[in-house]
Amino acid sequence: MIFKKGEFFNGPGGIALGAKMAKVVDKDGIEYRIEHQWSNEIDESACQTYIHNICPDRPESVINKDVRKLDIEKDLDEIDAFTFGFPCNDYSIVGEKKGLEGNYGQLYEYGVKVLRKFHPKWFIAENVSGLKSSNDGQAFIRILRDLKESGYNITPHLYKFEEYGIPQARHRIIIVGIRDDIKKEFKVPAPTHGEGKLPYKTSKEAINEPIISVDAPNHEYTKHLDKVVEFLKYIPPGENAWCENIPEHLRLNVKNTKMSQIYKRLNPQLPAYTVTGSGGGGTHMYHWKEHRALTNRERARLQTFPDDFVFFGGKEKVRQQIGMAVPPDGAKIILEAILKTFANVEYDSIESKWNIDDLLLKNQLELVGK
């Protein structure tokens, strides 16, 4: 069985690559898999990356346009599945936290329009963990209600990707929806790594095993000022710009902020901290031993992109694409759980972090109480 997938906010193709890798065979030998049908993305470089790696034979299927200018009724073909990692800028804990009032906060509604137009069998919606607290929790509730009322049984969960073998502490809210009339229940796949399970995959393992070829794509080193190199020499693995042994003359002259990721080195014995797609000096992630920022290829390794996955655009554009993506290996785990649900294949599972009915009822009671 093939599910034809549409996608909004496709980025470089983290979810799409996970979808290409995901395959399940049922007890009768029938294979369940996912096939790209169309996608949409406003960023031209990300579209080039997506086309090159996901659908090189169908470049016209990737629509480079602001989703607000897309004619959902006319521009898109029928689909069986839909994925959308709607922009997180207004929900991120490091952003301005404008939530639904921000420029990007209501873009999820275009995904809802697709669900109501095409009624795909299932969908995945993804966003940052800060979505839960945005607008005093009302953004999360509104999004869940809109998705549910589009005709879906939904399962929201906070996935901690390091618990699934991803070499990075990346925590994301992922909402899986299965159409009401299908009468199948999605269950959150059980974590495989951590205490009492397999050991976490470390940043050192991800970057060094195997060694990255010197001519690998997107593997350009950053040329640092001598002062930055000298500064990094005083920062131990896992520490940042605020560690006590940095000499006074090298300390940062920054007031009222001590962001933990500023000039933070990786701890080689742990998963990396979260790979991000933006930020100024000192936010580029730093090697645990060498006195330099990571290359984009090293960041891509932490995000589980293979070395032959080529990113297009300038160095900062590539960094942005990598940091905004869903780790393909993490996406594959969730997508295969969906395929197993449809194929009636059992798998280890856990309770979702939130019960949708309890959340909506609690919110309704709180509103009545006000």
Side-chain angles (χ1 to χ4, degrees), residues 224-234 246-253 263:
H224 294 296
L225 296 173
D226 291 343
K227 184 177 180 180
V228 172
V229 175
E230 184 68 17
F231 183 72
L232 289 170
K233 288 179 180 178
Y234 290 93
I246 297 174
E248 191 65 36
H249 71 281
L250 289 175
R251 288 187 175 274
L252 299 182
N253 184 22
Y263 289 108

Side-chain angles (χ1 to χ4, degrees), residues 86-93 95-102 104-106 127-143 173 363:
F86 52 101
C88 62
N89 311 54
D90 291 322
Y91 303 116
S92 174
I93 58 174
E96 294 183 40
K97 307 178 189 176
K98 294 181 179 178
L100 293 171
E101 280 71 52
Y104 305 99
Q106 297 190 27
N127 208 276
V128 293
S129 58
L131 173 63
K132 176 64 175 68
S133 56
S134 188
N135 299 112
D136 295 323
Q138 290 307 304
F140 187 50
I141 293 296
R142 175 172 158 184
I143 290 168
I173 292 174
N363 179 255

Side-chain angles (χ1 to χ4, degrees), residues 72-84:
I72 291 173
E73 296 291 327
K74 297 179 180 178
D75 293 347
L76 307 174
D77 296 329
E78 293 287 334
I79 52 173
D80 306 303
F82 181 56
T83 62
F84 62 119

